[in-house]
Amino acid sequence: MSDKIFFAKGDSPEMIDAFAKAQATFKYFWRELSWEHRRIIPGLNVACVKVAFSQQLPGDSEPTVEHMWINDIHFDGDTIFGTLINDPNELTNVSNGDEISIPLTQISDWLFAINDRTYGGFTIQAMRAGMTEEERQEHDEAWGLEFGDYNNILVVNNQEENPENLIEHPMSRNMQQSFVDFLQQNPDELNAKDEAGYTLLHKETIAGNLTTVQVLLQQGANAAERTTGGKTALDFAKQLNWEHLVPVLEGK
């Protein structure tokens, strides 16, 4: 992604760095959420994205910026969709409950939690770094979540115990045979497209799922299929920097 947008005038270097890290790692948020959508029993306590909203208010020389959270997230590889869950303080161009669609370059943070343990939350951790121990404890209790070490921000579940989870979600590996069975029983699904031209190969690539991408290709998925926006699965792998998928989709 290029042309990153950091809206707020006067933001600290630490906060601007947090914005950049959130944008660079958002793919892990989406990977987890894509599997959450398939779980029979939900596994996430929370999953939300912080967005920088701006508006040029009358009489002001600079746009007013407010960072607010959205949930009910969907991602098509280019655009993030969700619902605003905060009331703006000054902005009048958005309201609580609005459906939002924004480019990845407009997010300032993301957060999900499993068993009350948080992942992501880069701006939150930047703020926690400046708190006293007592203030951090009060902050965490108010959220009802365990934020851990602000100097060691995790982006995937069991990252320290199983660092291979950074490469691939364990559910992708564990679901291999059932996914093969599904495709063999439903061959029409292999290259079926949704209304925007996305195939299963596009969607599994955007979510960074190595095993399911390999299964799709082995079962005959067409890697040359393009969305209505003209993108192949390989385009998304490169765009989102899923380095482990690029050679697979290139057939190397």
Side-chain angles (χ1 to χ4, degrees):
M1 287 291 180
S2 60
D3 299 321
K4 293 192 185 318
I5 303 170
F6 303 123
F7 284 91
K9 182 181 179 182
D11 267 323
S12 69
E14 292 80 10
M15 199 59 71
I16 291 173
D17 182 59
F19 299 163
K21 288 178 177 175
Q23 292 179 11
T25 58
F26 172 80
K27 61 185 182 180
Y28 294 109
F29 172 92
W30 177 246
R31 188 183 74 172
E32 186 62 51
L33 200 57
S34 75
W35 285 108
E36 178 74 358
H37 291 157
R38 308 179 215 193
R39 292 184 177 117
I40 298 173
I41 300 174
L44 301 183
N45 303 105
V46 64
C48 51
V49 173
K50 189 186 283 187
V51 176
F53 296 92
S54 64
Q55 183 180 6
Q56 186 71 49
L57 297 175
D60 290 348
S61 59
E62 297 285 343
T64 296
V65 177
E66 294 185 31
H67 295 266
M68 294 180 284
W69 294 96
I70 62 174
N71 67 3
D72 296 328
I73 308 298
H74 181 69
F75 180 54
D76 67 3
D78 290 313
T79 304
I80 299 169
F81 305 87
T83 304
L84 183 61
I85 57 174
N86 295 136
D87 292 312
N89 291 322
E90 298 181 65
L91 302 188
T92 59
N93 58 352
V94 289
S95 302
N96 193 331
D98 282 356
E99 293 186 3
I100 305 299
S101 60
I102 48 101
L104 182 53
T105 49
Q106 199 174 330
I107 76 164
S108 50
D109 208 352
W110 59 264
L111 177 76
F112 69 79
I114 299 174
N115 296 324
D116 296 330
R117 175 68 175 91
T118 65
Y119 300 85
F122 297 92
T123 61
I124 297 171
Q125 297 289 22
M127 290 185 287
R128 289 179 78 248
M131 296 178 182
T132 65
E133 188 60 42
E134 183 178 354
E135 289 170 336
R136 276 193 292 273
Q137 184 175 343
E138 291 175 356
H139 168 274
D140 296 359
E141 288 176 354
W143 275 82
L145 298 171
E146 172 54 52
F147 283 87
D149 183 359
Y150 55 81
N151 286 316
N152 184 28
I153 303 173
L154 304 179
V155 296
V156 300
N157 191 29
N158 294 326
Q159 180 176 331
E160 294 176 312
E161 301 87 345
N162 303 103
E164 66 273 14
N165 289 355
L166 279 166
I167 302 298
E168 184 171 23
H169 197 288
M171 286 185 69
S172 179
R173 298 189 296 269
N174 296 340
M175 297 288 287
Q176 179 176 6
Q177 188 56 53
S178 62
F179 192 48
V180 171
D181 294 342
F182 168 79
L183 292 173
Q184 291 178 344
Q185 294 166 13
N186 301 274
D188 291 345
E189 293 293 323
L190 193 59
N191 289 303
K193 292 187 172 187
D194 66 14
E195 64 280 0
Y198 287 74
T199 64
L200 279 174
L201 187 61
H202 285 111
K203 295 174 182 177
E204 293 303 303
T205 296
I206 291 167
N209 294 322
L210 176 61
T211 299
T212 52
V213 165
Q214 290 174 323
V215 167
L216 283 163
L217 293 172
Q218 290 162 1
Q219 295 297 315
N222 182 4
E225 291 285 2
R226 295 182 180 273
T227 65
T228 55
K231 291 186 177 179
T232 65
L234 178 59
D235 291 331
F236 285 118
K238 291 179 176 178
Q239 183 173 305
L240 296 170
N241 201 30
W242 285 125
E243 295 178 350
H244 61 300
L245 295 185
V246 171
V248 175
L249 290 162
E250 287 179 335
K252 295 180 180 179

